Amino acid sequence: MNVTIADIAKATGLAKSTISGVLNQKSGFSEKTRQKVLKAAEQLGYVPNEIARGLSSRSTGSIGLIIKDITNPFYNHITKGVQEIAGEHGYTVFLCSSGEDHQAEIDHIQAMVRKRVDGLIIAPLLEEVTFDHFFELKKTNVPFVLLGKIPGLSCDTYEFDDYDGGRQVTEHLLSMGHTRIGFVRGPKTSKAAKMRYAAFVDTMKGQGIEVDERFVFHDANGITDGMDIGHRIAEMTDRPSAIICFDDVIAIGAVKALLEAGLQVPEDVSVVGFDDIELTTFPLTTVSIPTYEAGKALAWTLFDRIFGRRVSGFQHIMFEQKLIVRSSVRRLHHLKETEG
Amino acid sequence: MNVTIADIAKATGLAKSTISGVLNQKSGFSEKTRQKVLKAAEQLGYVPNEIARGLSSRSTGSIGLIIKDITNPFYNHITKGVQEIAGEHGYTVFLCSSGEDHQAEIDHIQAMVRKRVDGLIIAPLLEEVTFDHFFELKKTNVPFVLLGKIPGLSCDTYEFDDYDGGRQVTEHLLSMGHTRIGFVRGPKTSKAAKMRYAAFVDTMKGQGIEVDERFVFHDANGITDGMDIGHRIAEMTDRPSAIICFDDVIAIGAVKALLEAGLQVPEDVSVVGFDDIELTTFPLTTVSIPTYEAGKALAWTLFDRIFGRRVSGFQHIMFEQKLIVRSSVRRLHHLKETEG
DNA sequence: TTGTATGCGTTATCAA
DNA sequence: TTGATAACGCATACAA
């Protein structure tokens, strides 16, 4: 049913190797046979079988991308960047979502190896998980690039400077007169969540301000959690004046709930987030993260490895984060302790 | 380097076919050899080669998903649904974005066929394009399911009732007293854009109201176009009282621009969209579309075909759209013609 | 410039 | 219950 190079060989009276050669643009064939082969391929409706080609050539022309949540703008912009560069290289990408699930991440990596992808880009879970599967991956010799660093694992990595981002927002809130600041931590498997929180605590302590544990929310993920937390804050009699959310998705959820509860942002509660997602009308003060650029960079580095264009040691690149001040933070008058 | 079943055969003294058999859970092997094989596979660190398996078994365990824009919540929710069902079937998905580009769509379909995916889910461009590549695809016998119908092409299809959605929003605006209604059409390759606009025009005419061409914007796509249009509307001296946007992304862009220009929504201009994306705080009146459910349904149908579970004729399913009234539409007093 | 032979790692069909 | 052996479709080293 399916026409193969053997069929073309039969039709033209040439050998399979000749067909294969001209189809792969190799030199050393007379124009006459080239035309004959091309014409026959066209007429028979030949469609190269990349599976067979992959088996023989040990290169599939596919890469794998393992992210956490395709629904989050953060990841779909990374995805977009990766796709774009992959396309430029004639590559196709398998998209896998781990959804903050450790086992899913392991399964996806193994599936990608079994599918013999030429390379892998992974945004790994970094906290409260084991990393054995990455050391196993390393052994397979499949090139991979990570968004994040895994202790003791040598490979190319990209990172966002989450600690610095956390510092910037905290300092911003402080400079606007806030001291009763709440914090919504992201998924417990997220290192970004950990770093941002650490920066928050450090910066607060640096100013001699105690972090109020009642205002710290743990393990939030997605807009639903953001809304829950917003509602809880709305119900507090003794509310924080500002709240730092792990990401814009959570922040938007929180703002939604706050508004629903009849409160104003920033008049009643100031809210800031991370990621600078564009798809919202709310003037959220946030931290911008170059996700699309990172996606492209991740892919470039991976293809450098795949094509052996980079032979030197592994590279580790840190992207900066940048505070974007809009109007979701209220400027507080400098109040005396007693008035708080 | 890579361990194969031949290596396991050598190590155990058994035949390749035996190894293959037990590894694929086939019956008819003694428990003793089963254990021997499994143990050896484990010890040698055997990783099945899905490429070789695919070549031999003519099934790759991969499907392709071709959408228009991974960055748009509409498509990433469809993607999420597809991924989920694919995962349940032990399948992996190639994600391709056509980006409203006809040639890209063609190229992606061909790439998927060359990669011998077991099936394909496609959200095709439906207007101002040719469909030859779909008839070619049909010839390949690769099962596929479409989000949308292609004239003369028999295959499983899902659709959203865009005409009805368009009718609903238009009637809503009319019922709120609006008559000077603007319309932002989506991409010119989009049939949804065409249907929604047709419904708008018909419904307006049904009420004896003329559509003002000055308020109709063509070929808009993405938040940037939405903002452009918002700015243009803000600058008009003679403005529509309401504007229907092709989707929420455009609507959000328009609202953003309107607010930036110092106008109020809905006080100065009412805005409605389509898709009901959750990731925004703005109380946008919109039309909800079951994208996630559609993604799952598309995948279910595809797997029915792949596994031959469905042998009957092709199915055509239409999903309903539902108006979600929030507060981005102002209620107008019934004005006399002269006062308008 | 073209052809032959072999291998890629599996699955599948028969025999044994 | 197990083992040879032939596909699967292509690439490639080598021979002609």
Side-chain angles (χ1 to χ4, degrees), chain A residues 142-155:
Chain A
V142 175
F144 61 95
V145 183
L146 257 39
L147 187 61
K149 259 185 206 159
I150 287 178
L153 181 67
S154 53
C155 65

Side-chain angles (χ1 to χ4, degrees), chain A residues 49-66:
Chain A
N49 184 327
E50 297 279 353
I51 296 298
R53 186 199 294 259
L55 182 59
S56 184
S57 68
R58 325 179 133 283
S59 157
T60 54
S62 307
I63 61 172
L65 172 62
I66 302 178

Side-chain angles (χ1 to χ4, degrees), chain A residues 136-197:
Chain A
E136 288 300 318
L137 174 61
K138 175 95 184 170
K139 283 190 210 153
T140 65
N141 284 321
V142 175
F144 61 95
V145 183
L146 257 39
L147 187 61
K149 259 185 206 159
I150 287 178
L153 181 67
S154 53
C155 65
D156 295 304
T157 66
Y158 284 88
E159 284 183 289
F160 297 119
D161 196 344
D162 294 301
Y163 187 91
D164 191 60
R167 182 191 59 73
Q168 288 184 57
V169 285
T170 310
E171 284 182 354
H172 176 63
L173 289 180
L174 255 17
S175 78
M176 296 290 274
H178 293 269
T179 54
R180 298 164 52 80
I181 305 176
F183 198 100
V184 181
R185 299 187 58 165
K188 52 177 180 271
T189 47
S190 161
K191 185 172 180 197
K194 186 182 178 182
M195 298 308 284
R196 288 169 189 174
Y197 182 66

Side-chain angles (χ1 to χ4, degrees), chain A residues 4-5 20 24 26 46 53 56:
Chain A
T4 73
I5 56 171
S20 173
N24 288 308
K26 300 246 160 100
Y46 172 69
R53 186 199 294 259
S56 184

Side-chain angles (χ1 to χ4, degrees), chain B residues 5 20 24 46 56:
Chain B
I5 55 171
S20 174
N24 288 307
Y46 171 71
S56 186

Side-chain angles (χ1 to χ4, degrees), chain B residues 3-5 7-9 11-12 14 19-20 22-24 33-48:
Chain B
V3 18
T4 73
I5 55 171
D7 297 324
I8 304 182
T12 56
L14 295 164
I19 312 298
S20 174
V22 333
L23 254 26
N24 288 307
T33 50
R34 278 198 62 243
Q35 290 309 327
K36 192 154 53 162
V37 170
L38 263 23
K39 198 176 134 206
E42 175 69 36
Q43 282 183 339
L44 296 175
Y46 171 71
V47 180

